[in-house]
Amino acid sequence: EEVISLLGQHMPSEPTSPLAPYVSGFMSMRLMLLKSTKNAQEVDIVRTLLDSYSSYHHMGRSGSDMAVLLARDYMFLSQQQQQSQPPCQQVHNTSYAAPSTPQHIAMPIASIVGSNHSLDCVNLR
């Protein structure tokens, strides 16, 4: 909760702020921390961010410094996570299940929204 509060207090609100490039890091991290359910990768990122927060706090960093450093850490960790994921593989359903059974299909996002996006795949249900 301390980290969520810290991010909310120091999140840049002006587009001309020198911290404006980190707004997505502030918002994405804060929203992920607020989620009640996290996947294993998110739990790992949260653990790392909380360790970073403790380290910055013990070093005597100011609240605004810690907020920016955490946003940068989150952006870096998220980028690393995306780069370490294996390429998508299309899943073929060979069974004849009832129509109400969900089927997960991974497909390249470029075929949906174009190739200039950082996401590699979309899971459709």
Side-chain angles (χ1 to χ4, degrees):
E1 280 189 29
E2 288 179 41
V3 175
I4 294 168
S5 177
L6 182 75
L7 295 171
Q9 290 172 354
H10 298 285
M11 188 180 314
S13 58
E14 296 294 323
T16 57
S17 166
L19 301 178
Y22 304 111
V23 168
S24 67
F26 274 88
M27 292 184 72
S28 298
M29 178 173 44
R30 191 166 185 274
L31 292 172
M32 182 189 64
L33 291 170
L34 288 168
K35 283 175 51 173
S36 59
T37 305
K38 296 171 186 62
N39 64 36
Q41 293 169 333
E42 291 169 332
V43 168
D44 192 40
I45 287 175
V46 168
R47 189 174 298 123
T48 302
L49 291 171
L50 292 177
D51 289 345
S52 292
Y53 172 77
S54 291
S55 174
Y56 297 145
H57 184 70
H58 290 302
M59 291 180 354
R61 299 287 239 181
S62 70
S64 60
D65 282 352
M66 287 191 291
V68 172
L69 289 168
L70 288 170
R72 289 177 61 188
D73 289 351
Y74 175 79
M75 292 169 79
F76 176 79
L77 292 168
S78 295
Q79 182 181 18
Q80 292 300 311
Q81 179 186 358
Q82 285 178 354
Q83 290 175 356
S84 69
Q85 290 178 347
C88 294
Q89 297 176 4
Q90 189 165 1
V91 177
H92 297 282
N93 185 0
T94 57
S95 65
Y96 295 99
S100 62
T101 303
Q103 298 174 6
H104 292 48
I105 302 170
M107 59 190 306
I109 195 167
S111 66
I112 299 171
V113 294
S115 59
N116 294 331
H117 295 277
S118 62
L119 296 174
D120 293 328
C121 300
V122 171
N123 286 321
L124 302 176
R125 290 181 191 239

